[in-house]
Amino acid sequence: MRTLIYTAFVSLDGVVDSPGGGIRSEAHRSGGWTYKDIEFVPEAYELKGRETEEATALMFGRTSYQAFAPLWPDMADFAALKELPKYVVSTTLGQDALVDNWGDITILRSLADVAKVKETEGGPIVIHGSATLARNLSDAGLIDHYHLLVFPVLLGAGKRMFSDTDKEKQMLKVLESETYANGITKLVYDVVR
């Protein structure tokens, strides 16, 4: 069985954002906060390098896929991810919208399809961005680990990492935690089943 890892840059009040400032369709007044007003400390991002080394596939929601697909295939920072299989969870994306220079890409049409992929053999599947997908996967009990870099900032506005769905309590086990000189805190959690 494969593990599903959600990785995120998150504010203390639960707002997630892409480090480059998001995309126009998701713009909000705080877009791009991850590299604004916070000193860059390389060791705070060690987790991101490790995720890249350990990932055997990537998963995205439609919006994040459409934001990353034109950029990531040709970026040196993401070269190690280029040939990895990718899964895009979308009920609307057509095959004609998939890029052809980014490894094998499979469209999953439902959370049941995601659950079937998890049952296959293979290593970790890492989810980047994709806040809506992450909320739905969390609510469905499909996420196995959270890799969070929590930034010392309160934003108020923006996409939330977790939904406000009334559901059963879900316990998490801390696997790693560390706070860096710039105030970022690494939190790696295992979802207790």
Side-chain angles (χ1 to χ4, degrees), residues 41-108:
V41 177
E43 56 270 22
Y45 300 93
E46 174 275 335
L47 180 62
K48 296 297 166 192
R50 195 167 7 127
E51 289 168 355
T52 298
E53 291 172 9
E54 295 173 0
T56 61
L58 302 179
M59 185 175 287
F60 303 97
R62 179 192 51 79
T63 302
S64 290
Y65 172 78
Q66 289 177 318
F68 297 152
L71 304 172
W72 280 22
D74 298 320
M75 290 180 72
D77 289 348
F78 301 109
L81 303 176
K82 185 167 183 166
E83 296 305 320
L84 288 181
K86 282 118 193 131
Y87 298 97
V88 182
V89 183
S90 173
T91 59
T92 60
L93 193 70
Q95 290 289 337
D96 59 331
L98 300 179
V99 297
D100 59 5
N101 62 336
W102 205 22
D104 291 332
I105 304 170
T106 303
I107 298 174
L108 304 176

Side-chain angles (χ1 to χ4, degrees), residues 4 59 87 89 108-119 125 127 133 137 142:
L4 211 52
M59 185 175 287
Y87 298 97
V89 183
L108 304 176
R109 297 295 182 193
S110 68
L111 295 181
D113 290 342
V114 173
K116 287 177 188 172
V117 168
K118 280 189 62 172
E119 293 173 6
I125 301 170
I127 304 164
L133 174 62
L137 292 171
L142 292 172

